[in-house]
């Protein structure tokens, strides 16, 4: 994957285009980009006897060429499951749907040895099913959102807001580094953190609260990027959330659909700015919000909105990494919507990884919906291939998938 950090020209153009970003996007304190994209493998120099030996081989494209539609679609699924070990049904689901990732919650974790064994089992099953190891993700923000506790060797870090109020940047660096180390020891390679929402509700009484670094977009961007750098230096993928910002609402998207009516200028100046900074600093993944931003897309939540995910995130902000949905079972995205159509719409709009925390039957239906839609619609088939490419690039970048190249 190409690194986004080497484009000062892009940042300058964005500043000229918007004229509203402030010093956080080009601050001298900006964090250097980390984890550059994996280089293509170059074969030995060509000779008269071997004229094609100097061909550059892209292992991602080589692997994509051998994958079936079902294997590509399966890589887009990140499933939740119950219990401290994989059940027969969970293994069968992983195999049949070629699942590319799992998410772990508190009920999947009891002690370090158990967690390591579970994750080894997940990886064995995934590799046997598709030849590609899985994303293993969890929510380890610190504060009130932390799935791993002291019983598995994870220190109890303060919430982001408290860390930011301490004024000690070393504290957030340590939190990112140690969190990354302990997650990797447990077999987890993706953290659905940090929260980059800028809280603008009165008295910080919104849903996000102290999960946010604060109400100043430059501080949120800088502190969030410090955490991202420290976490990703330990080869754990960081996920900035909830794009384009959850900090202006008091409505819980687990229960209903929030609507934010801020102007595009205010959204960019305040709420989108930290994500822009994170993109410049190489964040591996971004999670959109199950929220309607009426000035960007009148009726459609960000998770299902092509103007937000494609036009804004991909084109304007030039994000090259993964877009991973929040749970597709949350009421804001699932209530009064057809499940299969919603899954396909999220894919069409630009989601690369679908977070499916509900029942195995819904997870299977999501897989079938993607495959069936791709057989009918070339655009969906192309989107699945595009997402699978990004998934493989990310797995290669963070050492999850280590492809073996065949010499000519």
């Amino acid at each position: 994957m190409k690194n986004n950090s080497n484009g000062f020209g892009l940042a300058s153009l964005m500043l000229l285009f918007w004229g509203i970003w402030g010093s956080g996007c080009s601050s001298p304190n900006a964090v250097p980009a980390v984890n550059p994209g994996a280089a293509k493998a170059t074969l030995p120099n060509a000779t008269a006897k071997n004229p094609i030996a100097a061909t550059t081989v892209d292992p991602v494209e080589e692997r994509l060429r051998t994958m079936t539609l079902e294997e590509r679609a399966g890589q887009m699924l990140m499933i939740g499951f119950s219990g401290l070990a994989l059940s027969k049904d969970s293994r069968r689901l992983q195999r049949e749907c070629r699942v590319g990732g799992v998410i772990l919650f508190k009920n999947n974790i009891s002690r370090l040895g158990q967690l390591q064994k579970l994750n080894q089992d997940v990886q064995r099953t995934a590799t046997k099913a598709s030849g590609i190891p899985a994303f293993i993700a969890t929510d380890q923000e610190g504060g009130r959102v932390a799935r791993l506790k002291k019983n598995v060797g994870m220190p109890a870090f303060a919430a982001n807001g408290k860390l930011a109020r301490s004024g000690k940047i070393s504290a957030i660096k340590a939190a990112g580094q140690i969190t990354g180390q302990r997650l990797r020891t447990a077999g987890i390679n993706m953290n659905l953190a940090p929260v980059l929402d800028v809280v603008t509700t009165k008295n910080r009484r919104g849903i996000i609260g102290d999960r946010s670094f604060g109400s100043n977009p430059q501080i949120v961007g800088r502190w969030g990027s410090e955490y991202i750098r420290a976490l990703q230096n330990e080869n754990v993928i960081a996920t900035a959330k909830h794009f384009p910002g959850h900090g202006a609402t008091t409505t819980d998207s687990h229960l209903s659909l929030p609507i934010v009516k801020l102007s595009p200028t205010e959204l960019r100046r305040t709420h989108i700015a930290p994500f822009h900074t994170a993109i410049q600093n190489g964040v591996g993944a971004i999670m959109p919000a199950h929220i309607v931003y009426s000035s960007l897309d009148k009726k459609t939540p960000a998770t299902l909105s092509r103007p937000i995910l494609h036009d804004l995130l991909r084109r304007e902000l030039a994000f090259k990494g993964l877009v991973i949905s929040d749970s597709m079972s949350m009421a804001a995205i699932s209530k009064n919507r057809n499940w299969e159509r919603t899954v396909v719409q999220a894919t069409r709009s630009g989601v690369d990884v679908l977070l499916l925390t509900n029942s195995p039957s819904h997870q299977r239906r999501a897989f079938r919906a993607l495959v069936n839609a791709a057989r009918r619609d070339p655009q969906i088939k192309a989107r699945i291939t595009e997402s699978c490419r990004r998934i493989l690039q990310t797995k290669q970048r963070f050492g999850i998938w280590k492809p073996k190249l065949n010499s000519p």
Side-chain angles (χ1 to χ4, degrees):
M1 179 187 297
K2 293 182 181 179
N3 193 296
N4 295 312
S5 64
N6 58 358
F8 180 77
L10 172 63
S12 301
L13 287 174
M14 297 300 293
L15 286 166
L16 290 171
F17 180 74
W18 286 326
I20 54 177
W21 281 99
S23 60
C25 300
S26 57
S27 167
N29 295 320
V31 185
V34 296
N35 288 310
K40 295 178 181 179
T42 303
L43 299 174
N45 293 332
T47 65
K49 293 182 179 180
N50 190 12
I52 64 170
T55 303
T56 299
V57 177
D58 186 334
V60 169
E61 296 304 322
E62 287 293 304
R63 187 68 183 88
L64 271 174
R65 275 192 282 271
T66 69
M67 295 176 74
T68 65
L69 171 61
E70 289 79 6
E71 288 172 331
R72 296 181 189 194
Q75 283 296 304
M76 296 180 65
L77 308 184
M78 178 174 283
I79 64 168
F81 58 91
S82 299
L84 301 175
L86 281 181
S87 66
K88 289 183 179 179
D89 288 342
S90 296
R91 290 180 207 276
R92 187 180 303 115
L93 181 66
Q94 266 196 279
R95 290 195 304 267
E96 291 176 355
C97 298
R98 288 81 161 179
V99 171
V102 303
I103 180 169
L104 302 179
F105 292 98
K106 186 169 64 174
N107 66 6
N108 300 122
I109 301 165
S110 67
R111 55 187 176 81
L112 182 58
Q114 167 270 326
L115 181 56
Q116 290 171 324
K117 186 175 185 298
L118 170 62
N119 290 334
Q120 289 165 3
D121 202 5
V122 167
Q123 294 296 22
R124 276 194 298 267
T125 305
T127 304
K128 188 174 180 180
S130 66
I132 301 168
F135 290 130
I136 301 181
T138 196
D139 295 274
Q140 195 68 25
E141 298 175 13
R144 57 192 160 107
V145 181
R147 310 305 185 199
L148 279 68
K149 308 288 187 179
K150 290 182 179 180
N151 60 320
V152 293
M154 181 67 73
F157 291 106
N160 291 338
K162 187 173 182 179
L163 288 175
R165 287 192 296 274
S166 76
K168 296 178 180 178
I169 202 77
S170 59
I172 197 64
K173 292 179 181 178
Q177 179 184 20
I178 295 169
T179 297
Q181 291 171 348
R182 301 300 169 85
L183 289 178
R184 265 295 180 178
T185 297
I188 295 169
N189 52 44
M190 176 183 280
N191 191 9
L192 303 182
V195 170
L196 294 189
D197 301 320
V198 180
V199 176
T200 58
T201 51
K202 188 176 181 180
N203 298 325
R204 294 177 61 87
R205 288 180 180 171
I207 295 302
I208 297 300
D210 65 358
R211 294 169 66 192
S212 164
F213 289 103
S215 57
N216 182 304
Q218 282 72 45
I219 289 175
V220 174
R222 185 190 173 203
W223 281 66
S225 291
E226 291 283 5
Y227 183 91
I228 289 163
R229 178 186 183 185
L231 187 74
Q232 293 190 164
N233 278 345
E234 301 302 326
N235 255 5
V236 173
I237 304 162
T239 307
K241 60 187 185 184
H242 308 80
F243 183 83
H246 206 313
T249 178
T250 58
T251 303
D252 187 347
S253 54
H254 288 84
L255 306 176
S256 60
L257 179 63
I259 299 175
V260 171
K261 298 181 180 180
L262 297 175
S263 69
T265 298
E266 182 58 26
L267 282 170
R268 286 180 168 91
R269 177 190 292 125
T270 302
H271 297 279
I272 298 172
F275 293 95
H276 182 233
T277 304
I279 290 167
Q280 290 183 310
N281 287 288
V283 68
I286 286 178
M287 177 182 287
H290 295 331
I291 295 176
V292 170
Y293 300 85
S294 57
S295 66
L296 302 177
D297 191 325
K298 290 184 179 180
K299 297 181 180 180
T300 309
T303 309
L304 307 179
S305 171
R306 188 167 175 83
I308 293 175
L309 297 186
H310 180 266
D311 299 346
L312 174 59
L313 183 58
R314 292 294 185 197
R315 286 188 172 176
E316 287 192 32
L317 300 182
F319 179 56
K320 305 297 184 186
L322 287 179
V323 173
I324 175 170
S325 78
D326 209 338
S327 173
M328 296 294 291
S329 65
M330 290 165 61
I333 204 79
S334 63
K335 188 176 180 180
N336 300 323
R337 293 180 185 271
N338 176 275
W339 174 247
E340 282 82 359
R341 284 192 205 131
T342 302
V343 165
V344 172
Q345 185 177 351
T347 302
R348 188 187 299 277
S349 298
V351 170
D352 299 309
V353 177
L354 295 154
L355 185 53
L356 308 171
T357 58
N358 38 13
S359 68
S361 65
H362 274 74
Q363 292 163 351
R364 282 191 169 87
R365 284 170 58 191
F367 174 71
R368 288 196 296 268
L370 285 179
V371 172
N372 291 339
R375 287 173 177 160
R376 296 190 305 267
D377 186 342
Q379 290 184 343
I380 293 297
K381 186 175 182 180
R383 272 289 304 116
I384 289 172
T385 297
E386 179 185 13
S387 290
C388 186
R389 178 179 289 110
R390 288 197 192 101
I391 290 165
L392 295 181
Q393 288 170 339
T394 303
K395 288 182 176 181
Q396 184 186 14
R397 173 186 173 187
F398 288 92
I400 300 166
W401 174 56
K402 298 177 182 178
K404 294 179 181 179
L405 294 176
N406 296 320
S407 298

